């Protein structure tokens, strides 16, 4: 059975007499250890879908199953990395990363050892005692990633985690994430606006329609890793995804103009 199953999930937001149909009949089966990416125009419901899988939001209809069990709320089996930095400014890097382990009741010495391993893995060795405001945006996002991974979730949910970073930091973090994913064999559910990032990282890329978000197509990326962003095959995938996305992005723009 698939690790993560999204079954007939729809989401309607209602507020002040408005009704927004965010997701419509989403069905997905994501395998254990799969790197699965979702793309789609702004406002098509990507974050909503991720939050429903995280258990931060209830679907209006349908359900999410993790290892066959229905998701009823957030859990340590799923770790989330949000687009915006979500560190605790009053805690050092080390204490931010140990936070989840503290909640789990892991003794101080052990949790600090685990945290240090992940801080090193994201390239921040030597910054354990720094505070978030002393770090660049890219470094803060690395801390957020280390914090999520230190909790050892089975499924990592990432909502445009590199969107605010410069291109160089982004490329470095893509490679770091791939290393961790290959080594620890996590299941990753990843949201991005970058077509190249999606092709570079993913086993499969799902493309959503304009709102209400439905799954329009799922492209399997059949390329050996590490992938060459300039290879002919890579460019072919890019063309294919651009064409699928273009139609949906145009729908969104027409609606706004
Ligand atoms: P994406 O991440 O693809 O840009 P979102 O999932 O954030 O899209 O949003 C999908 C749609 O649902 C948008 O039209 C957005 O305005 C709406 N929406 C998202 N969250 C809420 C909320 N809490 N209340 C009302 N509408 C929401
Ligand atoms: Mg979003």
């Amino acid at each position: 059975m698939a690790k993560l199953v999204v079954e007939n999930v729809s989401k309607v937001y209602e507020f002040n007499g408005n009704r927004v149909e965010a997701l419509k009949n989403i069905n997905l089966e994501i395998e254990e250890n799969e790197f699965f990416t979702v793309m789609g125009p702004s406002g098509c419901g990507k974050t909503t879908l991720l939050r429903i899988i995280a258990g931060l939001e209830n679907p209006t209809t349908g359900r999410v199953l993790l290892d066959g069990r229905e998701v009823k709320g957030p859990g340590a089996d799923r770790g989330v990395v949000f687009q915006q930095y979500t560190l605790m400014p009053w805690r050092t890097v080390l204490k931010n990363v140990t936070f989840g382990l503290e909640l789990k009741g892991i003794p101080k010495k052990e949790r600090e050892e685990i945290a240090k391993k992940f801080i090193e893995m994201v390239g921040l060795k030597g910054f354990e005692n720094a505070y978030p405001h002393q770090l660049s945006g890219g470094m803060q996002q690395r801390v957020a990633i280390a914090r999520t991974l230190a909790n050892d979730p089975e499924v990592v949910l990432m909502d445009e985690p590199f969107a605010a970073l410069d291109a160089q930091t982004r490329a470095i973090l893509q490679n770091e994430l791939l290393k961790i994913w290959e080594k620890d064999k996590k299941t990753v559910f990843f949201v991005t606006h970058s077509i190249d990032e999606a092709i570079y990282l993913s086993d499969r890329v799902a493309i959503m329609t304009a709102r209400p978000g439905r799954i329009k197509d799922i492209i399997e990326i059949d390329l050996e890793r590490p992938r060459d962003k300039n290879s002919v095959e890579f460019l072919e995938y890019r063309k294919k995804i651009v064409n699928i996305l273009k139609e949906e992005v145009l729908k969104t723009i027409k609606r706004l103009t």
Side-chain angles (χ1 to χ4, degrees):
M1 198 217 314
K3 179 80 182 168
L4 188 64
V5 177
V6 177
E7 208 175 76
N8 272 317
V9 163
S10 299
K11 178 73 181 181
V12 178
Y13 287 109
E14 295 196 57
F15 56 100
N16 306 334
N18 292 313
R19 193 173 174 280
V20 174
E21 200 178 9
L23 295 172
K24 193 163 184 162
N25 286 332
I26 304 286
N27 286 287
L28 293 173
E29 291 198 1
I30 298 165
E31 300 300 326
E32 181 147 32
N33 306 338
E34 183 170 12
F35 200 119
F36 189 91
T37 293
V38 174
M39 301 194 72
S42 282
C44 77
K46 302 177 296 293
T47 295
T48 301
L49 178 58
L50 184 138
R51 288 175 59 85
I52 290 172
I53 295 171
L56 296 167
E57 197 98 59
N58 291 321
T60 307
T61 68
R63 56 185 192 156
V64 174
L65 303 172
L66 181 61
D67 290 323
R69 287 184 304 273
E70 189 172 345
V71 165
K72 301 268 192 194
D77 46 12
R78 284 148 293 143
V80 188
V81 179
F82 296 101
Q83 180 178 348
Q84 68 286 13
Y85 319 127
T86 48
L87 301 179
M88 288 170 275
W90 61 91
R91 282 185 164 235
T92 62
V93 166
L94 184 68
K95 297 272 177 197
N96 265 283
V97 178
T98 57
F99 183 70
L101 302 167
E102 222 174 287
L103 293 181
K104 280 188 191 164
I106 294 174
K108 187 166 191 263
K109 189 162 172 281
E110 196 182 327
R111 68 180 185 244
E112 292 194 346
E113 265 167 31
I114 297 170
K116 281 178 185 161
K117 189 182 92 180
F118 283 96
I119 290 168
E120 185 169 354
M121 205 183 270
V122 298
L124 286 179
K125 194 175 163 62
F127 290 92
E128 291 81 357
N129 297 318
Y131 285 88
H133 75 269
Q134 296 171 314
L135 305 177
S136 70
M139 291 161 88
Q140 290 185 43
Q141 190 64 329
R142 287 169 189 237
V143 179
I145 292 167
R147 179 184 54 191
T148 298
L149 295 172
N151 292 329
D152 197 24
E154 294 167 37
V155 179
V156 186
L157 307 166
M158 306 181 95
D159 193 358
E160 305 190 42
F162 308 145
L165 308 179
D166 62 274
Q168 206 178 340
T169 306
R170 187 170 187 152
I172 292 169
L173 284 191
Q174 287 170 355
N175 285 327
E176 278 168 7
L177 177 62
L178 277 183
K179 264 192 241 159
I180 292 162
W181 167 73
E182 276 168 359
K183 188 165 151 286
D184 291 358
K185 282 299 163 202
K186 304 271 180 207
T187 305
V188 180
F189 181 92
F190 193 91
V191 174
T192 183
H193 266 115
S194 161
I195 296 174
D196 279 15
E197 182 166 88
I199 302 169
Y200 187 68
L201 296 174
S202 321
D203 292 319
R204 287 191 296 160
V205 180
I207 297 152
M208 290 174 70
T209 64
R211 190 164 54 76
R214 282 165 287 122
I215 302 295
K216 181 174 173 125
D217 213 335
I218 298 183
I219 312 287
E220 193 174 333
I221 311 294
D222 189 13
L223 295 176
E224 293 279 315
R225 292 185 182 87
R227 293 172 177 168
D228 176 0
K229 289 179 182 165
N230 297 311
S231 71
V232 176
E233 294 83 2
F234 200 101
L235 297 180
E236 286 299 321
Y237 278 114
R238 186 188 294 156
K239 260 191 238 162
K240 191 168 175 178
I241 294 176
V242 166
N243 280 328
I244 301 169
L245 269 174
K246 197 162 79 183
E247 215 178 283
E248 299 309 318
V249 173
L250 284 174
K251 271 190 220 163
T252 305
I253 292 171
K254 272 184 200 146
R255 202 181 279 162
L256 294 173
T257 50

